[in-house]
Amino acid sequence: MEIVVFGAGSIGSLLGALLARVPDHDVTLVGRGPHVSAIRRRGLRVEGIESFTVEPQATTDGTDLAADLVLVTVKAYDTEAAARELRTGEFDAVCSLQNGMGNEETLAGYLDCPVLGGTTSYGAVRTDSGEVVWNGAGEIAVGPWAPRGDDETAATVGAAMTAGGLEVDVVDGAGIRRRLWEKLAVNAAINPTTALARVENGALGDEPGTDLVEPIAREVGATARAEGVTLSDEALVDAVGEVVTATAENESSMYADVQAARRTEIDVINGYVVERAREHGIDVPTNRTLWTLLRAWEAERGLRAIDA
């Protein structure tokens, strides 16, 4: 299968490397200049859980590409720009493996091919150009977004990922929506709280951390149910707790963004909850407070417009 990984950051580089080990897969990574140049010179090196080097194709130009599958792994605020580049090419399917919500709708609005939603719990860190550390085994869930009933495409994509040694759970349209909302609850609870408090994930496993993350998860649950997605508050609170325990020594991606003075994905995580809750007349004060605090931090550092 011809596969394009659009967004050769940490998780994109790891997934691209794993898929590039399959003889029948032809993988192209779309990334930034220094990383792409290093991959072209000496290949992509993976360390950590396994150590190996692969030699995928790599480019900084995402236009006029053609492939059976595109995996989109850019930051959520770059999704629209990615979609504009991708619409110049020809693809049989595109799958978002990004944080937050709304990415699938954006891709479907630009691309004339099936769009799949996906989640991943694999862990990776880009340590240098041409290098990535695989620091967490996990699972990928993938399912049809648009058309919602396109189970055949989801199964084909799942099989291609499984061939690369990835743990993949192929679900239906309702299932991927539940998975995405569950991941949203986890991200909404862990990312902004650790970023603002400057703590590792494990700090949220006991009081006073649990006093904050539990109401966040419950607010997400109320919003999800209003959107027609059946998820209980208890299930979401438990999901947050499981991830906090499993990643206790990790720093969240949003904490890393704050440390590096980068724009965060707060808009498509807590901001998404706030906007959807408003449409249904639901009050989500904890999510709104976190969204406001991170936007204020970004605005003060010139990372976003004041009124954005």
Side-chain angles (χ1 to χ4, degrees), residues 85 108 115 179 209 304:
E85 288 193 47
V115 174
R179 293 292 189 94
R304 67 186 299 139

Side-chain angles (χ1 to χ4, degrees), residues 188-189 192-194 196-197 204 206 208-217 286 290:
T193 51
T194 55
L196 290 166
L204 306 179
D206 298 297
T210 52
D211 295 335
L212 181 59
V213 299
E214 289 189 9
I216 296 169
T286 317
L290 294 169

